[in-house]
Amino acid sequence: MTSLRTKGKSTVVWILMGMLLLGLGGFGVTTFSGSASGEIGAVGDTEIGTDDYLRAIRSEMQGFSAQTGQNMTAEQARALGVPQTVQARLFAAAALEDEARRLGVSVGDEAVLRQVTGAPGFQGAGGSFDAARYNDVLRNEGLSAAQFEEDVRMDEARLMLQRAVVGGVSAPPTLRDRTAGWVLERRDLSWAELKADQLATPVAAPDEETLKAWHAANGARFTAPEIRKITYAWLTPDMLAETVQLDETALRDLYQARIAEFQQPERRMVERLVFQDEAAAQAAKARLDAGQATFEQLANERGLQLADIDLGETTEADLGAAGPAVFALTQPGVVGPFATDLGPALFSMNAILDPVNIPFEEAQDDLRAEAAADRAKRLIEEQAPQFEDLLAGGASLEDLAKDTPMEVGSIEFSAETPSDGIAAYQAFRERAASLTDKDFPQIYQLDDGGVFALRLDQVVPPALIPFDKVRELVLTDWTAAETRRQLKALAEEEKMRLESDATAEPAADATTAARPTATITLAPAADVERDTGIEGVPGDVTAAAFRLKAPGETAVVEADGRVFLIRLDATRAADLTADEAVPVIEGVTRRLTDSVRSDLFEAYVRALQATHGVRLNSAAIAAANARIQ
């Protein structure tokens, strides 16, 4: 029987064109290709190839690197659940594709053309579509233009399907208003931080048995971290810099190539505000001269910020007709209007930058250091393959130190190891933390152009530090905990007194009115916002205050090792008609709408998967996961 299963052609659509399923539910668009290495599963008649799965995972890892500036290792990807995230995305996209085919949803050639020609991956240096680049990219991916364009057509069809599901959905007004009201509510509070000097008597010193019991009961606080004893070999540009020979001619050539850094004319820091016509510019200048407005206010009236009109450092020649007047100023000021290519403009001079005149003789030491570092990086890059070959041939790290410029060292590494020496490099710390005794030494890159290799010699597991070695630390820890305990008890007593006073009937005479005197003075904090809180007070305290129900209620809160007493005095409902409420309501509306749409879309995808049927190839998934690098 002829198979009715369908296959898209390549994840390159997703990767190169950056198309998204509206960002809902974490799903992104991909297409599915036939794969010689098999499929990880299918939804209905739409199969998901192993190659597509691995490409999607690599794309996730590359995206992480682009955002953080750090490479994501396979171990990190697994720990962060990248494989599971990608699987959810691919099976969701496959469900949409299968449904789009069933319904016959498609788009015309014009929509495909618009997507292809607008894709950044196919644009040349000028930012326009480059047919040669388009063909080269597809050829490298093993795709024909017809195949790829059909994939794009399917992506557009899936987007149409999703828009049909979530289009027109918005947050219910009641939910929007209640949420915005919750965010904007303000409260009048009274609070106090309790401190050790408020206790009736100082915390008494404990006996040895108490301390030993505390040490045993809180072992995690007194446990040495896992120690990884590691031998490493490394080479950095700084290690080679002094051995690099540079002649004066090369340094002079470098000086001339960078002459703009060492020889600069006098400059000014300038902002330029352009007007529609000369009359408007003259009127604005008159307001400035009369003190009726500032340059910043003039910009704001035009819907501009100072950053929008900042020209940065300029020379007299850069400013054209305005140059002589601007450079005639001996202190900050505004001149103009002067004609520019954009129209008449006022120029605000904010700072004078003196000329730069650094002769070669003064610059050569810095140039020599930079040039030596660059040359050292190139030498390391050239030698790194040799280091790799030696390790592959069975050389030890100690052999590398004998036969190459690399230096060998050892370190007892843990998460608490100070960031100095080789441990100052994030690349080393990541490798050291994941290294096993089964890993063979290989060459890794350092951020500054250096290289390193490492070997795990021994793992010393976490161990409880003997009491006699941490006695003072145990005493400090116990004293702090006991102080907090007594302060909380004192705060609870004061809480009961305050709440009793708030609910007590007026006393008939002085005898029945007698009550314990207050031991804690509360400071008022009026009009407190939920997000901003009280200056100097931990956010957990404010959060507790906003959980109180009625004026007069009091809470004892321990936060950041400190003890607080806080009381609700009054609640101020939000005015949702106020101007300042508008951006909050808009933000709440967007978030709630996105959430509702995400939930709806996720439910729709799950219904499609249930209807069309999902098949998982667990063995293929496990095999693919083992190939993640």
Short mmCIF file of all heavy atoms in Angstrom, two decimals, residues 64-104:
data_model
loop_
_atom_site.label_atom_id
_atom_site.label_comp_id
_atom_site.label_asym_id
_atom_site.label_seq_id
_atom_site.Cartn_x
_atom_site.Cartn_y
_atom_site.Cartn_z
N PHE A 64 20.50 30.78 22.81
CA PHE A 64 20.96 31.02 24.18
C PHE A 64 22.31 31.72 24.16
O PHE A 64 22.55 32.68 24.90
CB PHE A 64 21.06 29.69 24.92
CG PHE A 64 21.65 29.79 26.31
CD1 PHE A 64 20.84 30.05 27.40
CD2 PHE A 64 23.01 29.64 26.52
CE1 PHE A 64 21.37 30.14 28.68
CE2 PHE A 64 23.56 29.73 27.80
CZ PHE A 64 22.73 29.99 28.87
N SER A 65 23.22 31.25 23.31
CA SER A 65 24.56 31.83 23.22
C SER A 65 24.48 33.28 22.75
O SER A 65 25.21 34.14 23.25
CB SER A 65 25.43 31.01 22.26
OG SER A 65 25.57 29.68 22.72
N ALA A 66 23.60 33.56 21.79
CA ALA A 66 23.48 34.92 21.27
C ALA A 66 22.96 35.87 22.35
O ALA A 66 23.37 37.04 22.41
CB ALA A 66 22.55 34.93 20.06
N GLN A 67 22.08 35.39 23.21
CA GLN A 67 21.48 36.24 24.24
C GLN A 67 22.41 36.45 25.42
O GLN A 67 22.43 37.52 26.02
CB GLN A 67 20.17 35.64 24.72
CG GLN A 67 19.06 35.67 23.68
CD GLN A 67 17.79 35.02 24.19
OE1 GLN A 67 17.72 34.57 25.33
NE2 GLN A 67 16.77 34.95 23.34
N THR A 68 23.17 35.42 25.79
CA THR A 68 23.98 35.48 27.01
C THR A 68 25.45 35.71 26.74
O THR A 68 26.19 36.07 27.66
CB THR A 68 23.84 34.17 27.81
OG1 THR A 68 24.39 33.08 27.05
CG2 THR A 68 22.37 33.88 28.12
N GLY A 69 25.90 35.49 25.51
CA GLY A 69 27.32 35.61 25.22
C GLY A 69 28.13 34.42 25.69
O GLY A 69 29.36 34.45 25.66
N GLN A 70 27.45 33.35 26.13
CA GLN A 70 28.13 32.15 26.60
C GLN A 70 27.60 30.95 25.83
O GLN A 70 26.40 30.85 25.56
CB GLN A 70 27.89 31.93 28.10
CG GLN A 70 28.39 33.06 28.97
CD GLN A 70 28.06 32.84 30.44
OE1 GLN A 70 27.48 31.82 30.80
NE2 GLN A 70 28.43 33.79 31.28
N ASN A 71 28.52 30.07 25.48
CA ASN A 71 28.11 28.86 24.78
C ASN A 71 27.35 27.93 25.73
O ASN A 71 27.73 27.76 26.89
CB ASN A 71 29.33 28.13 24.21
CG ASN A 71 29.96 28.88 23.07
OD1 ASN A 71 29.29 29.60 22.34
ND2 ASN A 71 31.26 28.74 22.91
N MET A 72 26.29 27.34 25.22
CA MET A 72 25.54 26.36 26.00
C MET A 72 26.08 24.97 25.69
O MET A 72 26.16 24.57 24.53
CB MET A 72 24.04 26.43 25.67
CG MET A 72 23.22 25.33 26.34
SD MET A 72 21.47 25.33 25.87
CE MET A 72 20.84 26.58 26.99
N THR A 73 26.46 24.26 26.73
CA THR A 73 26.96 22.90 26.54
C THR A 73 25.78 21.93 26.44
O THR A 73 24.64 22.27 26.79
CB THR A 73 27.86 22.48 27.71
OG1 THR A 73 27.06 22.42 28.91
CG2 THR A 73 28.99 23.48 27.91
N ALA A 74 26.08 20.72 25.96
CA ALA A 74 25.03 19.70 25.87
C ALA A 74 24.47 19.39 27.25
O ALA A 74 23.27 19.17 27.41
CB ALA A 74 25.60 18.44 25.22
N GLU A 75 25.35 19.38 28.26
CA GLU A 75 24.89 19.10 29.62
C GLU A 75 23.92 20.18 30.10
O GLU A 75 22.89 19.89 30.72
CB GLU A 75 26.09 19.01 30.57
CG GLU A 75 27.00 17.81 30.35
CD GLU A 75 27.98 18.03 29.19
OE1 GLU A 75 28.01 19.15 28.63
OE2 GLU A 75 28.71 17.09 28.85
N GLN A 76 24.24 21.44 29.80
CA GLN A 76 23.36 22.52 30.21
C GLN A 76 22.02 22.44 29.48
O GLN A 76 20.96 22.68 30.06
CB GLN A 76 24.02 23.87 29.92
CG GLN A 76 25.19 24.20 30.85
CD GLN A 76 25.89 25.47 30.43
OE1 GLN A 76 26.08 25.74 29.25
NE2 GLN A 76 26.30 26.27 31.40
N ALA A 77 22.07 22.12 28.19
CA ALA A 77 20.85 22.00 27.41
C ALA A 77 19.92 20.95 28.01
O ALA A 77 18.71 21.16 28.13
CB ALA A 77 21.17 21.67 25.95
N ARG A 78 20.50 19.81 28.39
CA ARG A 78 19.68 18.76 28.99
C ARG A 78 19.13 19.20 30.35
O ARG A 78 17.97 18.96 30.69
CB ARG A 78 20.49 17.48 29.12
CG ARG A 78 20.90 16.87 27.77
CD ARG A 78 21.57 15.51 27.96
NE ARG A 78 22.00 14.95 26.69
CZ ARG A 78 23.23 15.06 26.19
NH1 ARG A 78 24.16 15.70 26.88
NH2 ARG A 78 23.53 14.54 25.03
N ALA A 79 20.01 19.86 31.15
CA ALA A 79 19.58 20.28 32.48
C ALA A 79 18.47 21.31 32.42
O ALA A 79 17.58 21.35 33.28
CB ALA A 79 20.79 20.85 33.25
N LEU A 80 18.47 22.16 31.39
CA LEU A 80 17.47 23.20 31.24
C LEU A 80 16.22 22.71 30.52
O LEU A 80 15.28 23.47 30.30
CB LEU A 80 18.05 24.41 30.50
CG LEU A 80 19.14 25.18 31.24
CD1 LEU A 80 19.76 26.24 30.34
CD2 LEU A 80 18.58 25.84 32.50
N GLY A 81 16.22 21.43 30.11
CA GLY A 81 15.04 20.87 29.47
C GLY A 81 14.85 21.29 28.03
O GLY A 81 13.72 21.29 27.52
N VAL A 82 15.95 21.66 27.34
CA VAL A 82 15.83 22.08 25.94
C VAL A 82 15.23 20.98 25.07
O VAL A 82 14.34 21.26 24.24
CB VAL A 82 17.20 22.55 25.40
CG1 VAL A 82 17.15 22.76 23.89
CG2 VAL A 82 17.63 23.83 26.10
N PRO A 83 15.66 19.71 25.20
CA PRO A 83 15.05 18.68 24.35
C PRO A 83 13.53 18.59 24.51
O PRO A 83 12.80 18.47 23.53
CB PRO A 83 15.74 17.39 24.80
CG PRO A 83 17.07 17.84 25.32
CD PRO A 83 16.78 19.15 25.99
N GLN A 84 13.06 18.67 25.76
CA GLN A 84 11.63 18.57 25.99
C GLN A 84 10.89 19.79 25.40
O GLN A 84 9.79 19.66 24.83
CB GLN A 84 11.34 18.48 27.50
CG GLN A 84 11.78 17.18 28.13
CD GLN A 84 13.28 17.13 28.41
OE1 GLN A 84 13.97 18.14 28.30
NE2 GLN A 84 13.77 15.96 28.80
N THR A 85 11.49 20.97 25.53
CA THR A 85 10.88 22.18 24.97
C THR A 85 10.77 22.08 23.46
O THR A 85 9.73 22.41 22.87
CB THR A 85 11.71 23.42 25.35
OG1 THR A 85 11.74 23.55 26.76
CG2 THR A 85 11.12 24.68 24.75
N VAL A 86 11.83 21.61 22.82
CA VAL A 86 11.83 21.50 21.36
C VAL A 86 10.82 20.44 20.92
O VAL A 86 10.10 20.63 19.93
CB VAL A 86 13.25 21.16 20.86
CG1 VAL A 86 13.23 20.76 19.38
CG2 VAL A 86 14.17 22.37 21.06
N GLN A 87 10.76 19.32 21.63
CA GLN A 87 9.77 18.30 21.27
C GLN A 87 8.36 18.86 21.33
O GLN A 87 7.54 18.63 20.41
CB GLN A 87 9.90 17.11 22.23
CG GLN A 87 11.15 16.26 22.03
CD GLN A 87 11.33 15.25 23.14
OE1 GLN A 87 10.36 14.74 23.68
NE2 GLN A 87 12.57 14.98 23.52
N ALA A 88 8.04 19.61 22.38
CA ALA A 88 6.70 20.19 22.50
C ALA A 88 6.41 21.11 21.32
O ALA A 88 5.31 21.09 20.75
CB ALA A 88 6.57 20.96 23.82
N ARG A 89 7.39 21.92 20.95
CA ARG A 89 7.20 22.84 19.83
C ARG A 89 6.98 22.09 18.53
O ARG A 89 6.09 22.41 17.73
CB ARG A 89 8.40 23.76 19.71
CG ARG A 89 8.29 24.75 18.56
CD ARG A 89 9.56 25.55 18.38
NE ARG A 89 9.88 26.32 19.56
CZ ARG A 89 11.00 26.20 20.24
NH1 ARG A 89 11.92 25.35 19.83
NH2 ARG A 89 11.24 26.94 21.30
N LEU A 90 7.82 21.08 18.27
CA LEU A 90 7.73 20.36 17.00
C LEU A 90 6.43 19.57 16.88
O LEU A 90 5.81 19.55 15.81
CB LEU A 90 8.93 19.42 16.85
CG LEU A 90 10.30 20.09 16.72
CD1 LEU A 90 11.39 19.04 16.59
CD2 LEU A 90 10.33 21.04 15.54
N PHE A 91 6.00 18.94 17.95
CA PHE A 91 4.76 18.17 17.88
C PHE A 91 3.54 19.10 17.78
O PHE A 91 2.54 18.74 17.17
CB PHE A 91 4.64 17.23 19.08
CG PHE A 91 5.42 15.95 18.91
CD1 PHE A 91 6.73 15.85 19.35
CD2 PHE A 91 4.86 14.86 18.27
CE1 PHE A 91 7.46 14.69 19.18
CE2 PHE A 91 5.58 13.68 18.10
CZ PHE A 91 6.89 13.59 18.54
N ALA A 92 3.65 20.29 18.36
CA ALA A 92 2.56 21.26 18.19
C ALA A 92 2.50 21.74 16.75
O ALA A 92 1.41 21.83 16.15
CB ALA A 92 2.78 22.45 19.13
N ALA A 93 3.66 22.06 16.17
CA ALA A 93 3.69 22.52 14.79
C ALA A 93 3.22 21.43 13.84
O ALA A 93 2.53 21.69 12.86
CB ALA A 93 5.10 22.98 14.43
N ALA A 94 3.59 20.19 14.14
CA ALA A 94 3.16 19.07 13.29
C ALA A 94 1.64 18.91 13.34
O ALA A 94 1.00 18.61 12.32
CB ALA A 94 3.84 17.78 13.74
N ALA A 95 1.04 19.13 14.51
CA ALA A 95 -0.41 19.04 14.62
C ALA A 95 -1.08 20.10 13.76
O ALA A 95 -2.09 19.84 13.07
CB ALA A 95 -0.83 19.18 16.08
N LEU A 96 -0.54 21.33 13.79
CA LEU A 96 -1.09 22.39 12.96
C LEU A 96 -0.94 22.07 11.47
O LEU A 96 -1.85 22.31 10.68
CB LEU A 96 -0.41 23.72 13.28
CG LEU A 96 -0.75 24.37 14.62
CD1 LEU A 96 0.12 25.59 14.84
CD2 LEU A 96 -2.22 24.74 14.67
N GLU A 97 0.21 21.55 11.11
CA GLU A 97 0.44 21.23 9.71
C GLU A 97 -0.53 20.15 9.23
O GLU A 97 -1.10 20.25 8.13
CB GLU A 97 1.89 20.77 9.51
CG GLU A 97 2.23 20.44 8.06
CD GLU A 97 3.72 20.26 7.84
OE1 GLU A 97 4.51 20.89 8.58
OE2 GLU A 97 4.09 19.49 6.94
N ASP A 98 -0.74 19.15 10.04
CA ASP A 98 -1.64 18.07 9.65
C ASP A 98 -3.07 18.60 9.49
O ASP A 98 -3.79 18.23 8.55
CB ASP A 98 -1.60 16.95 10.71
CG ASP A 98 -1.78 15.58 10.09
OD1 ASP A 98 -1.01 15.23 9.18
OD2 ASP A 98 -2.71 14.88 10.51
N GLU A 99 -3.49 19.48 10.40
CA GLU A 99 -4.83 20.04 10.33
C GLU A 99 -4.97 20.97 9.12
O GLU A 99 -6.01 20.99 8.45
CB GLU A 99 -5.16 20.79 11.62
CG GLU A 99 -6.52 21.44 11.66
CD GLU A 99 -7.67 20.44 11.72
OE1 GLU A 99 -7.41 19.21 11.74
OE2 GLU A 99 -8.83 20.88 11.76
N ALA A 100 -3.90 21.77 8.85
CA ALA A 100 -3.96 22.67 7.70
C ALA A 100 -4.13 21.89 6.40
O ALA A 100 -4.88 22.28 5.51
CB ALA A 100 -2.70 23.53 7.65
N ARG A 101 -3.44 20.76 6.30
CA ARG A 101 -3.59 19.93 5.10
C ARG A 101 -5.01 19.35 5.02
O ARG A 101 -5.60 19.27 3.95
CB ARG A 101 -2.55 18.81 5.12
CG ARG A 101 -1.14 19.27 4.76
CD ARG A 101 -0.29 18.07 4.35
NE ARG A 101 1.04 18.50 3.95
CZ ARG A 101 2.09 18.56 4.75
NH1 ARG A 101 1.95 18.20 6.01
NH2 ARG A 101 3.25 18.97 4.31
N ARG A 102 -5.53 18.91 6.17
CA ARG A 102 -6.86 18.33 6.16
C ARG A 102 -7.90 19.34 5.70
O ARG A 102 -8.83 19.01 4.94
CB ARG A 102 -7.21 17.83 7.57
CG ARG A 102 -8.54 17.05 7.63
CD ARG A 102 -8.92 16.74 9.07
NE ARG A 102 -9.34 17.92 9.79
CZ ARG A 102 -10.57 18.45 9.72
NH1 ARG A 102 -11.49 17.90 8.93
NH2 ARG A 102 -10.89 19.52 10.42
N LEU A 103 -7.73 20.59 6.15
CA LEU A 103 -8.69 21.64 5.81
C LEU A 103 -8.44 22.25 4.44
O LEU A 103 -9.27 22.99 3.93
CB LEU A 103 -8.66 22.75 6.87
CG LEU A 103 -9.08 22.36 8.29
CD1 LEU A 103 -8.86 23.52 9.25
CD2 LEU A 103 -10.54 21.92 8.32
N GLY A 104 -7.27 21.97 3.88
CA GLY A 104 -6.93 22.57 2.59
C GLY A 104 -6.55 24.03 2.70
O GLY A 104 -6.68 24.80 1.73
#
